[in-house]
Each structure stands twice: as C-alpha cells, then as structure tokens.
Amino acid sequence: MKLGDIGEFGFIERIRKRAAAASHLLLGIGDDCAVSRVAPGELLLASTDLLIEDIHFRRGWSDMHTLGRKSVSVNVSDLAAMGGRALNLYLGLGIPADTSVEDLDAFANGVLDACAAYGAVLAGGDTCRSPGPLFISVTVEGSVPEAQLVTRAGARPGDLLWVSGTLGDSALALRELLAGRRPPALLAARHHDPCARLDLGRVLAVQGLATAMIDVSDGLLADLGHILDSSAVGALVERDVLPLSPAFRAALQAEPALLDLALCGGEDYELLFTSPPEKAAAVAALAIEGVPVTQIGCVLPQDHGVRLVDAQGRPCAPPRGGFDHFY
Amino acid sequence: MKLGDIGEFGFIERIRKRAAAASHLLLGIGDDCAVSRVAPGELLLASTDLLIEDIHFRRGWSDMHTLGRKSVSVNVSDLAAMGGRALNLYLGLGIPADTSVEDLDAFANGVLDACAAYGAVLAGGDTCRSPGPLFISVTVEGSVPEAQLVTRAGARPGDLLWVSGTLGDSALALRELLAGRRPPALLAARHHDPCARLDLGRVLAVQGLATAMIDVSDGLLADLGHILDSSAVGALVERDVLPLSPAFRAALQAEPALLDLALCGGEDYELLFTSPPEKAAAVAALAIEGVPVTQIGCVLPQDHGVRLVDAQGRPCAPPRGGFDHFY
C-alpha cells in the first residue's frame, strides 16, 4: 500500500490515534495549533532539526523505525544540553509519493516510541508529498525551572571540562558506511540510534553541577568552540584521555589517524560541559544508566584559545575543523 | 555568490545579526534551544507548516522575499485561528547547493519582515543542503490568555457562520499560473503573499465573539468540515453570499464553474468562524484594516450535515471535495 492510497489526512489520522496524551497538553493533533500549559516558574525551550535523505541518512542503511527514533533523539539532545525536560514534538514530513504505508507506519512508531522514552508527546506537524528525497523536520518544546537553565555562556577559567559517553563512534560508523563496509554493530547503533542524554542533563541542572553545556553534534572541537565563544574563555583538551569505546579503540590501533574522528567527527550526541573544580567528585560519581562522564580538560582564559595536548602536556597538531553541511 | 561560499554557519550568522530581540525571548539563535518566558495565565500555542518547492510553490512564480513572507504568514494564520498572538518562529531550510546568497538573503529578509509585522521573532532553526528541491519548514509559537482560546470545537446549532475577506482568489491565481497564464495582480498577490488575520483573530477572542474558528487553508468546505466534525454539528452555507473579490467576480462571469474554487480552492488564509446570533451586530461591525467579515450561513444540528443552498434556499450540487496534497 502506497501513501497515495490513504492520503494526507488518512496518514495524519493513523498517527493521531497513536499519539499519547499528557497533562500539560490541552489540545494535540487535530486543531490549528497544539495548546499547552507551561508550568509556573518554568522557561520554555524549543529547537528545530532537519534530517534530509542522502544528506543526513540513507534509507538503505537503517530501518524506518530506527530513523524515526533518531529524528527525535537528535532534537531532544538540544533540550538535554540546556538541562531541560521534554514536552512536545512537532513533525514535518515531506514524503516521496512511492513511500509505502508500512514504512511510514514504522517511522511514525519510531517517533512515538522515542517520544515516550523521553517523556514527550507528539503534539502536531505537517505532511505533504516531496518531489525529491524524504524530508524530516522536527521541532521539540521543553521546559526548565528558571534557576536550572544551563546555557553555553557560563564557563569560567578554572572550570573542568567533561564529556559523557564515548566519542567518535558515530563518525567511524559513518566512514565505514560511506566506504561500502558494514560497521561493527555497536558503532552502527551509535550512528543510527543515538541516545539523547536527557536524564544526565537534568541531573547536572538540578544539582547545579554544570556552568556551561552543549551537545556534541558538530564534533567535539567545533562544539567546544561554541562554548568558548559564548563564554569568552579558552580551553585545554587532553587528547589522550578522550573516552573511546572498545570498538573505536580497536580501529584506532590499526589506524591512529582515526583519532581525528573523536575530535571532529560529529553526531556523538554526548553532553560536553564545564563544572567548577570543587564539584569534580560529584560529577565523577554521575553515571546515569551506565553512561560514564570523563574529564577531558579544563577552561583557560580566552587568550589561550584551544590547546590540544598529549599525555606529556606537549601541544598536538590540531585536526581539520568541524563539520559544516555546506562543505 | 553561492551558499557554499559562506557555509552553513556563515548563513546562520547573517540571519542571527538581523533577528530582532523581544522581551519574552531570553535566548534566541545561538544556543542549543531558544529560551522563552510564557506570560502567567497564557497558554502556549504551536503549529508547523511545510512549504516544498514544486509542491507548494515554484521559484519562478514569485520573488524570494515574497516567498519568505508567505512561509511565515501561512504558519501564523494557525495562531490567528485560535485567537492567539505570535511569539517565536523556528525556520528549517533545506537549500539546493546552487542557491545564490542573494536569494537566501532576500528570503531571510522576507521571513524577518513578516515576523516583525506579526509581532514574532525568529528564535531558531536549522539549515542544511538539500539534494532535491528547496524545503522550508516553519514552526510558530504563540500564546493566548486561557479564557480567550478559540478551538474548532465550540460551534452550537443556531450560531451564525462567518468568513473574513474574500474566497477563491488564491486558487484562481494558482489555476492561471498552472495554465501558463499571468493572473491579475490582485489575485496573484493573494496567492503569493497572503495575510494572516492575526488582528481579527485576537479581536474575536478578546471580545468573546467566536465559538469556533479555523483558518481556510484546505478550502472553505473542507475546513468547515473540520469545525463540524470537532463541534459535532452541521451547517447551512448560502452559496450566493460568498464574499468574492471584483477580480474573481469578473472571471466568474465568464466561467460560472469557477465558483467551486471559492468553495474548495484552498490557501485563502481567511478566518472561518461561528458566533452566537445575538453577537451578529458586533461581528458585522468588525472590519480590521479594511478586511470585511461576511455571514455565509449558520450552524445546524449534526444530522443535517452540510447543506449548500442558493439564493432561493434550494439545495445546490456540492462541488468536488477539498484539497489533499497526496491526490
């Protein structure tokens, strides 16, 4: 069965029936706007991401349920980076006319399952035919108590620099896929099905542990650069303590230049944050759902720029810059 | 100059510099999420629309500034239909690599100008390259005092049925464009540069005049159907009192079947609403910025369905149904 057989309203109705309710959502899919109540004292957060076929994903590389989950996770990751909780998701879909209803159902179920996992509800969206590739646009709304908001702008010299999880896995998987090879399953999962660190971000915000935070989507050094720009500080990064997965280390042993993927690869969706040194023990003790946090450097005055050093503290040559979709 | 010359971050920086500030917006473009404060007692509204090249627009048909304005107006129209005011806009852009920076600047200026006209600020978004057509995703947030929210669900038998402005102009312009003809300027403007009836929607909500409301985007009868479904009522529509522009009337005289475009054409972005009969004088007196409101029928019990009648009250054959992007 093709999408043309059930039509735009038919597809929306299929999604509407499966969308969850939530106490904050007075009206979801089915009126001109979704209508929500933001709790008193909470700030509203919102972020938009695009996922475009053959730019961000290829349909043969992962199933549609996984793609639906990823579409939500990459967007919710932005809420995590501000310490927020998730409220509503809005989904825009430009769908090639020959797409099967089965694929769309799988995609929608992936979106809905991920929403449920993050405590969000699918509250609205728009669908129409695409004369080109599959276009996915996701906008998420969340909220955070005013005193708990963590921006990119609060890092101070002397703060320690931390990152969650491991780096480079997604970029390494992508490299294998682009080369026509099948990446190891754990790496592939990190690329196709990343997990937004929403719980970790909330804990950091609630406990007041993070002075600045960002999610690593453009690559560690590029996203660190955003914190440094916003906070008007510099940083030292210890190359040899970057957290790497066993699968990544195995590949690295054969090809040392792969370390650049951990520094610049993109799509890690880990949290990169700064924290005062007196809170180091509290941060190190955090391992939400088995995700480690690792100290990878510290914050310096702005005139130091970014200093990448090896285990002996000697400067390392910086790798090629971060990721820009237009290059 | 092509987009590739300035890159994704270069383009975002160009927009960020021109984006307006607003007291409700604590953080706009440049952090992981936009951060806003929703006023106490106000409900949050949000809606998403897609505009895809060669489905919703053709680039040769209107200039990029006008396309930018339209992208905002069609989305803000959903806020108008709930009686809301506009707060934030989020823009997703999938851009063909050969797009000129001049075109993108014109588009962005159109978006920003329309935001300013509606009292909204561009608070965030995402851009990347499109391997297919130009892909535009717009999500708007707004708010409305809780007591003033107007949904599709409040129409009651006996209410009168009203519509703002004139109907069919946009659809007639589109028909001419699709036939390779140049539509009269007033019709073309209605198609390329619609105006969201935000002020009218606010006045209806503030004065408590509307029991149910929707914006006419899929065509009068289709959108009336949404009100009737949500409110569990029927309606009588008087075919011969539909508000038509002089340009539309001129075309209608030569081709009477064109009346179907006023009934089903889509993209009018007028407000269709129901109102208690005792408020008819107050509604009729509304003409916000020269936009008339016209009584075109009344609400009936649900078992009457939709009855389309002529000036003598005789039933008319219903036209072909509304607009569905997948057909």
Side-chain angles (χ1 to χ4, degrees):
Chain A
M1 190 160 61
K2 299 295 172 193
L3 184 55
D5 298 328
I6 59 169
E8 180 181 4
F9 292 127
F11 177 55
I12 293 173
E13 185 59 20
R14 286 168 89 92
I15 296 185
R16 193 189 62 76
K17 281 184 185 155
R18 284 175 275 169
S23 59
H24 70 266
L25 187 66
L26 281 71
L27 277 175
I29 298 167
D31 212 303
D32 295 287
C33 298
V35 183
S36 314
R37 199 176 270 125
V38 178
E42 299 251 326
L43 296 173
L44 174 67
L45 306 174
S47 180
T48 291
D49 282 294
L50 298 179
L51 292 90
I52 302 185
E53 186 177 355
D54 294 332
I55 300 287
H56 298 90
F57 64 91
R58 293 197 190 163
R59 274 206 263 181
W61 284 356
S62 84
D63 64 275
M64 291 292 277
H65 192 278
T66 306
L67 181 62
R69 290 202 303 273
K70 179 170 182 172
S71 303
V72 176
S73 294
V74 303
N75 199 222
V76 168
S77 183
D78 287 315
L79 292 180
M82 303 200 86
R85 71 193 92 204
L87 293 174
N88 298 317
L89 200 96
Y90 304 89
L91 178 65
L93 278 182
I95 308 168
D98 65 349
T99 308
S100 75
V101 173
E102 291 71 22
D103 272 356
L104 282 174
D105 278 343
F107 178 84
N109 284 336
V111 167
L112 293 167
D113 288 352
C115 281
Y118 295 122
V121 285
L122 184 64
D126 192 14
T127 62
C128 73
R129 188 165 67 80
S130 164
L134 176 61
F135 282 104
I136 306 166
S137 146
V138 190
T139 301
V140 72
E141 288 176 334
S143 72
V144 65
E146 189 146 359
Q148 294 174 9
L149 178 72
V150 185
T151 72
R152 299 176 180 177
R156 291 160 303 196
D159 282 353
L160 304 182
L161 183 65
W162 300 81
V163 72
S164 65
T166 57
L167 296 168
D169 298 325
S170 173
L172 179 52
L174 179 61
R175 196 192 72 145
E176 295 300 293
L177 288 164
L178 288 171
R181 293 187 293 264
R182 196 188 170 117
L186 286 174
L187 296 181
R190 293 273 292 154
H191 181 70
H192 297 309
D193 200 10
C195 181
R197 303 304 187 195
L198 197 62
D199 291 340
L200 176 62
R202 282 295 301 141
V203 170
L204 290 167
V206 168
Q207 298 189 13
L209 297 176
T211 50
M213 185 152 60
I214 194 169
D215 68 320
V216 182
S217 55
D218 294 330
L220 177 73
L221 292 184
D223 288 311
L224 173 61
H226 296 318
I227 287 184
L228 303 189
D229 288 346
S230 296
S231 298
V233 293
L236 179 139
V237 176
E238 298 177 64
R239 187 192 63 181
D240 296 337
V241 302
L242 296 183
L244 305 174
S245 69
F248 191 93
R249 283 187 191 282
L252 187 65
Q253 208 149 25
E255 190 181 346
L258 282 185
L259 195 65
D260 282 3
L261 294 181
L263 288 162
C264 306
E267 292 221 79
D268 295 302
Y269 300 108
E270 295 297 344
L271 292 180
L272 175 69
F273 59 97
T274 58
S275 182
E278 64 270 21
K279 298 192 171 165
V283 173
L286 293 174
I288 310 288
E289 290 174 4
V291 179
V293 288
T294 307
Q295 191 207 324
I296 61 167
C298 61
V299 178
L300 300 174
Q302 190 168 24
D303 57 351
H304 289 252
V306 181
R307 292 173 52 194
L308 187 64
V309 300
D310 67 12
Q312 285 73 45
R314 293 174 302 209
C316 312
R320 197 185 72 69
F323 184 67
D324 187 322
H325 290 292
F326 292 124
Y327 290 116
Chain B
M1 192 161 60
K2 299 295 172 195
L3 184 55
D5 298 328
I6 59 169
E8 181 181 2
F9 292 127
F11 177 55
I12 293 172
E13 185 57 20
R14 287 169 88 93
I15 295 184
R16 192 189 63 75
K17 282 185 185 155
R18 286 176 271 168
S23 58
H24 71 267
L25 186 67
L26 282 70
L27 278 176
I29 298 168
D31 212 302
D32 295 287
C33 298
V35 183
S36 315
R37 200 175 269 123
V38 178
E42 300 252 325
L43 296 173
L44 173 67
L45 307 174
S47 180
T48 291
D49 282 293
L50 298 179
L51 291 90
I52 302 184
E53 186 177 354
D54 294 332
I55 300 286
H56 298 92
F57 65 91
R58 293 195 190 165
R59 274 206 261 179
W61 284 356
S62 83
D63 64 275
M64 292 291 278
H65 191 280
T66 306
L67 181 62
R69 290 201 303 274
K70 179 170 182 174
S71 302
V72 176
S73 294
V74 303
N75 199 223
V76 168
S77 182
D78 286 314
L79 292 180
M82 303 199 86
R85 74 193 90 203
L87 294 174
N88 298 319
L89 199 96
Y90 304 90
L91 179 64
L93 279 183
I95 309 168
D98 65 348
T99 307
S100 75
V101 174
E102 291 71 23
D103 272 356
L104 281 175
D105 278 342
F107 178 84
N109 284 336
V111 167
L112 292 166
D113 289 352
C115 281
Y118 295 122
V121 285
L122 184 64
D126 193 14
T127 61
C128 74
R129 187 164 68 80
S130 165
L134 177 61
F135 175 84
I136 305 165
S137 147
V138 190
T139 301
V140 71
E141 289 176 333
S143 72
V144 64
E146 189 145 358
Q148 293 173 10
L149 178 72
V150 185
T151 72
R152 300 176 179 177
R156 289 160 303 195
D159 282 353
L160 304 182
L161 183 65
W162 301 81
V163 72
S164 65
T166 57
L167 296 169
D169 297 325
S170 173
L172 179 53
L174 179 60
R175 197 192 72 146
E176 295 301 293
L177 288 164
L178 288 171
R181 292 186 293 264
R182 197 189 170 114
L186 286 173
L187 296 181
R190 293 273 293 157
H191 180 71
H192 296 310
D193 200 9
C195 182
R197 304 303 186 195
L198 198 61
D199 293 339
L200 176 62
R202 281 296 300 141
V203 170
L204 289 167
V206 168
Q207 299 189 12
L209 297 176
T211 50
M213 185 151 60
I214 193 170
D215 68 318
V216 182
S217 55
D218 294 329
L220 177 73
L221 291 184
D223 288 311
L224 174 60
H226 296 317
I227 287 185
L228 303 189
D229 287 346
S230 295
S231 299
V233 293
L236 179 139
V237 176
E238 298 177 62
R239 187 192 64 182
D240 297 337
V241 301
L242 296 183
L244 305 175
S245 70
F248 191 93
R249 282 187 192 282
L252 187 65
Q253 208 148 26
E255 191 182 346
L258 282 185
L259 195 64
D260 282 3
L261 293 181
L263 288 163
C264 305
E267 291 220 80
D268 295 301
Y269 300 108
E270 297 296 344
L271 293 180
L272 175 69
F273 59 96
T274 58
S275 182
E278 63 271 21
K279 298 191 171 165
V283 173
L286 292 175
I288 311 286
E289 290 172 5
V291 179
V293 288
T294 305
Q295 190 207 326
I296 61 167
C298 61
V299 178
L300 301 174
Q302 189 168 25
D303 57 351
H304 289 252
V306 182
R307 291 173 52 195
L308 186 65
V309 300
D310 67 13
Q312 285 73 45
R314 291 174 304 210
C316 312
R320 197 185 72 70
F323 183 68
D324 187 324
H325 290 292
F326 291 124
Y327 291 116

